[in-house]
Amino acid sequence: MGSWDDDALGREAYAEYLTKYLRSRVVAPNGNATRSFTLALDAGWGTGKSFFVQRWAASLKNQPTPHPVVVFDAWAADFAADPLMAFMAALKDALDSEIRNAGLLKAAKFKASKALGKAVKNFRQAAVPTMLHVGKAVGGKLLGESINDVADAIRMAAAGGLDVTALKDLALSDDGREQIGAALDLFFEKALEEQGERATVISAFRRSLEETIHALTKDGKRSLPLFVFVDELDRCRPTFAISLLEGMKHLFGANGVCFVISTNIEQLSEATKAVYGSGFAAREYLDRFFDVTYALPPASHWKFAALLLNHRPLPTRRYELGLPQRAFKDDNVEASPQAVLAWVAKVFNVDLRSQGRLLEMLSAACANAVGQHVQLLWMAVLCAFRQGHPRAFDEIASVGTTPERFQELFVQAVGTQRDAKRSYDDMVPVSGQGHQLKTIATTLKEVSLEYFRYSHQLGSDELMGRSAAERFPKSLLHSIAMIAPSAAERRGNSPSPIYHYYDLVRTAGYLTQGPL
């Protein structure tokens, strides 16, 4: 099976494009690695980021000359006390596997393994001071060095004769100011020494990582660059996410390494503010970590609906779609359950993960509509309200809700921009000329309004007495009229046959579903 065989969303082209772009930024025309590079892959929750990352990583491994690839699931490692240690463990495991499977000659394999071992050793030396440095920034919310560090330096000076307990009394004296100044000088001197040591071990780590990459790629067994994917960062604890970014920035900027950080920038910005304060310039801060940001284009609701229904067919074939028989012109295919799900998901702005949950609710409700032809579009609309706008759903289900109020609730839920008019061809009666094929335009709100009116108050006699020109395209209401009881068949004020949809959908709304 190919890496993109199940790419129902058509994302392969984006991966190919980004691969060529990133390679051009990291690898010179002569084939040498010239720098590291970091790309933020930005998309909202439930939009298929993880699927994209997984398939992209797999495709890089399946090329004629594969790229070395590391995939780090940040959310899965969120329990770890030290983000960098968890990341380094994933990096080592992946590179160990690359060395074993790259088809290297014995000498080359030994050299690569030795370089990786040296990288791990250097990492241990570099990680501790780096994480202490990062921890001060994160824990102190960028307010500078801990006062405890200054106190430690003063105590060091005290060892040379300064009585720390007398600092309060000495603070206003010349001797006190001189001795405190000496303590601070000693503190900053120590900090500069530590900075120099940290820079030395970080440089050694980066060199050994570059040597590992070079050993893997110089004989053509692997291609530059090394791709490192960090997924689900926006789902992590704020302190974990920020510490990981800070540590990666300080440690892993080796030539020939390309980082792809899959995240939701908006959510990550909020996580950053949770660490550094609500007034912190989070977006500008995050931009320090990324060379570029790529906004993953939104997936097609149409394609994703096809994928979902292929894996989870509806539990019944006894349904009426609620779509024009000739289908909408922009669908360019025949009317189908896919068209129903895609239309509702698009208008209600349902993300991919929620679209799967919407189908789960719809399937549950359909499975319980025993002995009836389900009005699929109306059932899907009710599921969308129940899922995303439960209070509006309860009001819609209330007997006293008017058609005017239903329209207000619909607009409040979806706005006016997403529910654009869609056109289709239908046979329309023309006075004295029989019927002619004409193009008609409608919206989901208009179709849903007719279902709402019937669910609360209209019988088939009233529906059948209406012309297309008077109220609505008759083709959209014909299926309702065919199954609705006539006035003679109705018993007093018995509800319409689709009124019980409210109970079916309300109960389906209690379902929850894990990750897709």
Side-chain angles (χ1 to χ4, degrees):
M1 180 178 177
S3 305
W4 296 98
D5 285 355
D6 57 348
D7 179 30
L9 304 181
R11 294 281 178 81
E12 181 179 7
Y14 302 134
E16 292 178 351
Y17 185 93
L18 289 173
T19 298
K20 293 175 182 176
Y21 166 70
L22 293 173
R23 178 178 169 80
S24 73
R25 296 305 309 270
V26 176
V27 183
N30 63 6
N32 293 329
T34 58
R35 60 172 297 180
S36 64
F37 196 82
T38 302
L39 177 141
L41 183 68
D42 181 27
W45 284 352
T47 55
K49 293 193 304 294
S50 291
F51 174 90
F52 180 69
V53 165
Q54 291 162 8
R55 296 302 183 277
W56 185 7
S59 69
L60 292 170
K61 294 179 181 179
N62 291 335
Q63 293 184 3
T65 306
H67 289 272
V69 173
V70 179
V71 179
F72 179 64
D73 186 338
W75 192 42
D78 191 23
F79 67 89
D82 189 333
L84 275 188
M85 291 296 182
F87 177 76
M88 185 61 197
L91 179 71
K92 180 183 181 301
D93 287 347
L95 291 181
D96 272 336
S97 177
E98 293 285 354
I99 292 169
R100 287 194 305 270
N101 300 315
L104 297 171
L105 296 176
K106 186 175 181 179
K109 182 180 290 188
F110 174 79
K111 184 176 181 180
S113 296
K114 182 179 179 181
L116 180 58
K118 187 165 62 173
V120 172
K121 179 180 178 181
N122 288 331
F123 170 80
R124 292 186 187 124
Q125 293 177 311
V128 173
T130 297
M131 288 313 296
L132 286 175
H133 176 73
V134 169
K136 288 175 185 177
V138 173
K141 299 182 187 252
L142 293 182
L143 294 180
E145 297 290 350
S146 166
I147 191 63
N148 290 331
D149 289 333
V150 178
D152 287 343
I154 292 174
R155 291 189 186 97
M156 290 171 62
L162 173 63
D163 182 2
V164 178
T165 60
L167 279 177
K168 185 183 298 183
D169 297 331
L170 291 172
L172 298 178
S173 70
D174 290 340
D175 288 344
R177 283 194 294 271
E178 287 180 7
Q179 292 182 62
I180 291 173
L184 290 174
D185 287 343
L186 183 59
F187 164 71
F188 286 116
E189 181 180 343
K190 178 173 178 281
L192 287 172
E193 288 176 0
E194 290 178 350
Q195 175 67 27
E197 292 172 2
R198 182 166 63 243
T200 299
V201 294
I202 288 174
S203 178
F205 168 72
R206 288 177 177 172
R207 281 198 306 272
S208 54
L209 183 57
E210 289 169 3
E211 289 172 7
T212 306
I213 298 169
H214 180 69
L216 276 170
T217 59
K218 74 168 187 174
D219 62 353
K221 299 295 183 181
R222 291 292 185 267
S223 295
L224 284 170
L226 162 65
F227 280 89
V228 178
F229 294 92
V230 178
D231 195 18
E232 304 275 28
L233 188 64
D234 48 318
R235 301 181 73 178
C236 296
R237 289 176 290 118
T239 51
F240 183 95
I242 301 307
S243 294
L244 180 61
L245 279 177
E246 285 278 10
M248 288 172 58
K249 175 179 179 290
H250 287 292
L251 278 179
F252 289 91
N255 290 340
V257 181
C258 181
F259 292 96
V260 177
I261 312 296
S262 173
T263 190
N264 179 348
I265 295 293
E266 181 179 355
Q267 185 63 34
L268 190 59
S269 296
E270 293 303 314
T272 304
K273 291 178 183 178
V275 174
Y276 295 132
S278 59
F280 186 67
R283 185 57 196 264
E284 289 79 0
Y285 168 77
L286 291 175
D287 284 343
R288 299 189 308 121
F289 301 109
F290 310 131
D291 293 295
V292 294
T293 298
Y294 183 79
L296 188 65
S300 162
H301 286 97
W302 175 266
K303 291 180 178 179
F304 194 60
L307 175 66
L308 288 174
L309 287 164
N310 182 52
H311 288 287
R312 308 179 199 164
L314 290 171
T316 178
R317 293 186 179 273
R318 292 170 56 84
Y319 51 72
E320 300 292 341
L321 295 171
L323 301 174
Q325 291 183 355
R326 299 174 187 271
F328 288 109
K329 290 186 173 182
D330 55 355
D331 280 347
N332 201 30
V333 293
E334 65 181 15
S336 64
Q338 175 188 352
V340 170
L341 183 60
W343 191 18
V344 173
K346 181 178 180 180
V347 171
F348 279 82
N349 197 30
V350 177
D351 63 43
L352 300 189
R353 185 174 287 117
S354 298
Q355 193 172 338
R357 293 169 182 162
L358 176 65
L359 176 59
E360 202 67 30
M361 287 178 60
L362 180 61
S363 297
C366 287
N368 284 277
V370 181
Q372 287 194 21
H373 276 74
V374 175
Q375 297 299 316
L376 199 62
L377 181 67
W378 179 234
M379 190 80 87
V381 167
L382 291 180
C383 286
F385 269 111
R386 178 70 174 87
Q387 179 182 15
H389 312 276
R391 291 185 180 178
F393 171 84
D394 289 338
E395 190 170 348
I396 290 168
S398 175
V399 173
T401 303
T402 65
E404 292 74 22
R405 179 56 179 160
F406 171 79
Q407 293 179 81
E408 291 174 359
L409 292 169
F410 196 100
V411 171
Q412 289 171 11
V414 309
T416 57
Q417 299 299 315
R418 291 193 301 271
D419 192 19
K421 282 189 174 291
R422 303 180 70 190
S423 60
Y424 62 94
D425 292 331
D426 203 357
M427 298 300 295
V428 175
V430 178
S431 179
Q433 302 180 36
H435 289 73
Q436 290 184 0
L437 186 66
K438 287 195 173 183
T439 297
I440 303 169
T442 189
T443 63
L444 184 59
K445 184 187 77 171
E446 292 172 354
V447 180
S448 300
L449 176 62
E450 295 305 321
Y451 281 116
F452 169 80
R453 289 175 63 88
Y454 177 65
S455 71
H456 280 291
Q457 57 184 303
L458 298 178
S460 62
D461 297 333
E462 295 160 290
L463 286 174
M464 292 297 287
R466 292 180 173 175
S467 69
E470 182 183 35
R471 277 299 307 248
F472 198 72
K474 196 166 186 177
S475 58
L476 293 177
L477 298 176
H478 183 70
S479 60
I480 308 176
M482 291 297 97
I483 67 166
S486 66
E489 295 171 323
R490 298 180 69 184
R491 298 178 180 177
N493 294 322
S494 62
S496 75
I498 62 172
Y499 184 77
H500 74 295
Y501 284 17
Y502 297 115
D503 287 336
L504 295 177
V505 171
R506 181 180 288 108
T507 304
Y510 294 116
L511 289 170
T512 57
Q513 178 186 322
L516 296 178

